Amino acid sequence: MESKLPPGQRAVEAFHRFGLTPFAKRFPRQTHSRSLEVCGHVQQVLQLQDVFEGLERAEVQSDFHCVTTWSVRSLRWEGVRFSDLYWQVLHPQARHDPDATLVAMRGQDGARTALPLEDLLAPEVLLADRLNGEPLTMDHGAPLRLVVPGHYGYKSMKYLCRLEFRRPQEGYAVSGLRFMDHPRARVALEERGRALPGWLLRWLYRPLIASTVATFARAATGPAPLNSGAGEGQR
Ligand SMILES: Nc1nc2c(c(=O)[nH]1)N[C@H]1C(S)=C(S)[C@@H](COP(=O)(O)O)O[C@H]1N2
Ligand SMILES: [Mo]
């Protein structure tokens, strides 16, 4: 039997391309390499050409929860665990300051958010390049996407291109309005946003789902898997 959904969430069948509407028409500049910049309070800035290099592949099956209340059940993501990347590459090579425990992330489309390092080290947090047995498409975040199953979808950064180690008291820039980005955004605790209670945001966000799905679908590019080369470009 399927487990109960977290508070305020409703299951939907299709996994649609989604986000803040200004991002509907923004796409990654490159989809051919899983490159990542690691910067901030580090002893060594890293420009990783392939974050997967030398790391064991992993698979995680998890539900995906958007803050606007839709959830898709049992997505099967493949990639590498963030904790493996951290302990085998970031920690020994970038050597961030011990108090720089806030990780600000950036997508190639300009999206921004952050999470405490501790949250990212959970075993189910993945850097993904495959979804449900297929190469990740551009619509779902190719070439490299973070997947943070215990947190609302806006922490699962698509087109991930940069991680910056910051001190928690420095804060971080967000994609949309500040109240919409909770510093933790844990689904189980209904941490939807910063100032307003989760149950209230349910009712504010729900009416926006259909039009947002439509806006993103109109702008979508269709499948553009990693290493597909030229051809499958923008429509
Ligand atoms: N780079 C980037 N990451 C993003 C977004 C975005 O617009 N840009 N939208 C977020 C939101 S609000 C959600 S719900 C999910 C949607 O993922 P999907 O488009 O693969 O369905 O991606 C999240 N990550
Ligand atoms: Mo979302």
Side-chain angles (χ1 to χ4, degrees):
M1 213 186 78
E2 280 190 337
S3 55
K4 239 177 101 195
L5 281 172
Q9 295 300 113
R10 294 173 178 177
V12 295
E13 286 306 315
F15 188 33
H16 290 292
R17 182 170 178 257
F18 204 87
L20 292 168
T21 48
F23 287 88
K25 287 187 177 153
R26 297 190 199 163
F27 296 98
R29 283 181 305 280
Q30 66 84 12
T31 55
H32 59 274
S33 88
R34 298 173 298 224
S35 51
L36 185 69
E37 180 187 342
V38 182
C39 60
H41 299 296
V42 295
Q43 287 183 43
Q44 178 69 55
V45 170
L46 304 180
Q47 302 281 354
L48 302 172
Q49 290 313 308
D50 181 4
V51 289
F52 284 27
E53 203 183 307
L55 299 177
E56 194 191 330
R57 290 191 66 89
E59 188 178 312
V60 166
Q61 185 158 325
S62 52
D63 297 346
F64 189 93
H65 308 291
C66 173
V67 71
T68 62
T69 71
W70 58 262
S71 294
V72 181
R73 311 214 71 147
S74 296
L75 295 176
R76 195 159 47 81
W77 301 96
E78 291 167 65
V80 299
R81 290 186 202 282
F82 179 88
S83 59
D84 284 347
L85 177 72
Y86 178 74
W87 289 114
Q88 292 176 44
V89 181
L90 307 188
H91 187 264
Q93 293 182 22
R95 303 188 303 278
H96 66 86
D97 292 356
D99 61 347
T101 56
L102 176 67
V103 183
M105 19 186 173
R106 177 87 193 234
Q108 288 189 59
D109 59 351
R112 296 162 182 272
T113 189
L115 274 176
L117 176 61
E118 193 190 332
D119 289 6
L120 289 172
L121 291 175
E124 72 276 13
V125 177
L126 220 59
L127 290 149
D129 69 341
R130 293 177 68 85
L131 168 60
N132 291 338
E134 308 273 351
L136 199 61
T137 59
M138 166 118 78
D139 286 340
H140 287 304
L144 183 67
R145 180 198 195 133
L146 191 70
V147 181
V148 197
H151 298 246
Y152 286 114
Y154 60 87
K155 301 292 186 182
S156 287
M157 182 62 76
K158 301 195 286 186
Y159 325 124
L160 182 70
C161 65
R162 189 169 79 200
L163 297 177
E164 181 189 353
F165 285 88
R166 299 175 66 88
R167 301 197 172 90
Q169 62 272 25
E170 292 171 330
Y172 58 94
V174 303
S175 288
L177 300 170
R178 205 153 174 76
F179 82 89
M180 301 169 89
D181 189 298
H182 191 285
R184 299 294 290 279
R186 288 165 294 184
V187 177
L189 300 180
E190 210 176 349
E191 292 169 336
R192 290 183 199 273
R194 210 173 278 255
L196 300 171
W199 60 264
L200 180 60
L201 288 173
R202 289 182 203 174
W203 299 106
L204 287 179
Y205 287 156
R206 229 172 238 156
L208 307 174
I209 297 174
S211 66
T212 304
V213 168
T215 302
F216 270 81
R218 272 196 303 276
T221 59
L226 189 60
N227 296 329
S228 66
E232 278 285 312
Q234 317 241 340
R235 249 193 254 139

